[in-house]
Amino acid sequence: MKKYLIKFFCLTVVLTLIFSVADAQKTQKKRAATKRGNTTTKKTTKGKTKANIKSGGQVDSVAAIVAVPVEPKIDSLPITKVKKSLRQDEAVETKDIMDRTPLDYEHLRADDAVYRHKIWREIDTREKVNLPFRYSADENNGNQRFISILLKAIQDSAVTVFDPIDDRFTTPLTISQVAKGLGGGGDSVPHYDKNGLVDRIDYKSREINLDSIYKFRIKEEVIFDKESSRLFWRILGIAPVRNVYSTTGEYQGVSEVFWVYYPDMRPIFAKYQTYNGKNFGARMSWEELFETRMFSGRIIKSTMDNPFDLPIAATPGLKDNGVFQLLAGEKIKEKIFTYEQDLWSY
């Protein structure tokens, strides 16, 4: 009987130990699950914190974009708007003059052109003979400055304007690019709040003074035609020139603003009359002025004896001497004149 009681007691103790170990393992699993849940919550919290930081970074980038102003597109040139007269402002009829069209050029065959050279000239309108270029009166067809005539033709899309990167008319320009080339465009001006901090940046357009453009360059070709035994001068292009200054106001030289193809401008020039201070009844059109060569310009470059295609101002020995540059241009004129005269026998 005692043996059975001892076996029962031992079995009871073993079962109690087994159940106690099982309860301890369950408790450890619950604690581990609870720790994992807390870890997951922390990671989620960190993720939310990171998301908030990322959102803040996006707000900063948007603010930075707003702080930089976008340059507005310029779609107009600085042309003075002139009102037309509601009555006839002249005692003579000039309607037919405004409707003139230029005559077509005489055809020149390449086989008949026994002598050809390209010449570049610079016209300074401050010279007395060139003062018609600066005539600034207003008439029914607009302001009469020569630069205003060019800009109005560009504004009205009556002519294609070309980039001054070269003088071969290869790259067309837009009106906005022409305005920038004239010295327009604009400046970024910071605006400060009451605390002295920059809250925005405004964009203000710069004013353009057309009277500051008083030089023009002409590209032309001189041709001797053996069929008609005549020397022809054919203008190919015209470019206004502006002075270039540094940020400190130091003069750095001149720069071409744009090029226009002269044959495209001939119909427009025929409708504008030049200034004649001696006899206002004997005014000629701008097309006639150029064709009769009633202007003065110094030669700044030519294809004559110029294998490196350099302007006279960049020729070695002439860079720093303006008098020698002027004499070099006059020498080119003399060579062309002598060539034509030597073809004749008296």
Side-chain angles (χ1 to χ4, degrees):
M1 187 67 179
K2 288 182 180 180
K3 290 181 181 180
Y4 288 110
L5 290 174
I6 292 170
K7 289 181 180 179
F8 181 76
F9 179 76
C10 292
L11 182 61
T12 304
V13 171
V14 171
L15 291 175
T16 303
L17 291 174
I18 292 172
F19 282 116
S20 62
V21 170
D23 291 336
Q25 289 179 352
K26 288 181 180 181
T27 303
Q28 289 180 355
K29 288 181 179 180
K30 287 181 180 180
R31 288 178 180 176
T34 304
K35 288 182 180 180
R36 289 177 183 173
N38 292 337
T39 305
T40 306
T41 304
K42 288 181 181 179
K43 287 183 179 179
T44 306
T45 305
K46 289 181 180 180
K48 289 181 180 180
T49 305
K50 289 181 180 179
N52 291 336
I53 293 172
K54 185 177 181 181
S55 177
Q58 290 178 351
V59 173
D60 292 340
S61 63
V62 172
I65 293 172
V66 173
V68 179
V70 178
E71 184 177 350
K73 184 179 179 180
I74 303 172
D75 57 355
S76 63
L77 296 174
I79 306 172
T80 304
K81 293 183 179 180
V82 179
K83 293 183 178 180
K84 291 186 178 181
S85 176
L86 301 180
R87 297 292 185 273
Q88 186 172 341
D89 192 35
E90 296 169 328
V92 297
E93 183 63 45
T94 59
K95 182 179 178 182
D96 294 337
I97 296 177
M98 299 303 174
D99 294 336
R100 289 180 301 189
T101 56
L103 297 175
D104 293 334
Y105 277 140
E106 182 180 343
H107 178 67
L108 301 178
R109 295 176 62 248
D111 294 338
D112 294 334
V114 296
Y115 181 84
R116 291 175 58 192
H117 274 298
K118 287 185 179 177
I119 307 292
W120 287 259
R121 298 178 187 267
E122 186 172 271
I123 298 174
D124 193 333
T125 60
R126 294 173 296 180
E127 297 181 24
K128 189 174 182 180
V129 68
N130 295 326
L131 285 180
F133 286 83
R134 305 186 71 180
Y135 180 56
S136 58
D138 292 332
E139 297 182 7
N140 282 341
N141 56 354
N143 188 267
Q144 299 301 299
R145 288 187 187 90
F146 183 72
I147 182 64
S148 297
I149 296 172
L150 292 178
L151 296 181
K152 189 175 186 302
I154 297 171
Q155 182 70 53
D156 297 341
S157 300
V159 66
T160 303
V161 60
F162 294 93
D163 198 301
I165 56 173
D166 57 46
D167 51 21
R168 296 185 299 106
F169 318 105
T170 59
T171 309
L173 292 178
T174 61
I175 293 177
S176 178
Q177 291 172 323
V178 173
K180 289 181 181 179
L182 285 169
D187 299 312
S188 299
V189 180
H191 181 272
Y192 298 91
D193 58 11
K194 61 182 180 179
N195 297 324
L197 301 176
V198 178
D199 56 353
R200 72 173 187 270
I201 297 178
D202 298 328
Y203 186 88
K204 293 186 178 180
S205 300
R206 291 192 293 265
E207 295 183 359
I208 303 172
N209 182 14
L210 295 182
D211 288 329
S212 64
I213 301 176
Y214 51 83
K215 289 184 179 180
F216 298 89
R217 288 181 179 173
I218 288 180
K219 178 184 178 182
E220 56 188 356
E221 189 169 10
V222 55
I223 305 165
F224 186 85
D225 181 55
K226 69 178 183 180
E227 192 270 336
S228 59
S229 298
R230 179 183 165 191
L231 193 71
F232 289 89
W233 290 89
R234 293 286 173 85
I235 299 176
L236 300 176
I238 301 176
V241 177
R242 69 180 182 91
N243 296 326
V244 179
Y245 297 91
S246 65
T247 54
T248 58
E250 296 181 2
Y251 177 75
Q252 293 184 327
V254 295
S255 174
E256 297 165 353
V257 182
F258 57 81
W259 280 94
V260 291
Y261 189 55
Y262 175 76
D264 293 342
M265 288 294 300
R266 286 186 70 213
I268 299 171
F269 286 154
K271 293 177 174 58
Y272 287 87
Q273 289 185 305
T274 61
Y275 174 74
N276 186 349
K278 303 298 181 182
N279 183 3
F280 216 61
R283 300 172 69 186
M284 64 176 64
S285 67
W286 278 104
E287 192 267 341
E288 292 171 337
L289 180 139
F290 283 115
E291 296 302 325
T292 56
R293 309 195 62 78
M294 298 291 291
F295 60 89
S296 174
R298 65 182 183 91
I299 295 178
I300 59 174
K301 182 183 175 182
S302 74
T303 56
M304 189 181 299
D305 299 326
N306 188 12
F308 299 106
D309 195 33
L310 294 176
I312 293 177
T315 304
L318 302 176
K319 290 183 180 180
D320 301 324
N321 197 318
V323 176
F324 285 177
Q325 294 175 17
L326 185 62
L327 293 175
E330 293 297 322
K331 187 176 180 180
I332 294 173
K333 288 183 185 178
E334 185 179 356
K335 286 183 178 180
I336 297 173
F337 177 79
T338 303
Y339 174 84
E340 182 185 14
Q341 294 300 313
D342 289 346
L343 293 174
W344 298 92
S345 59
Y346 300 95

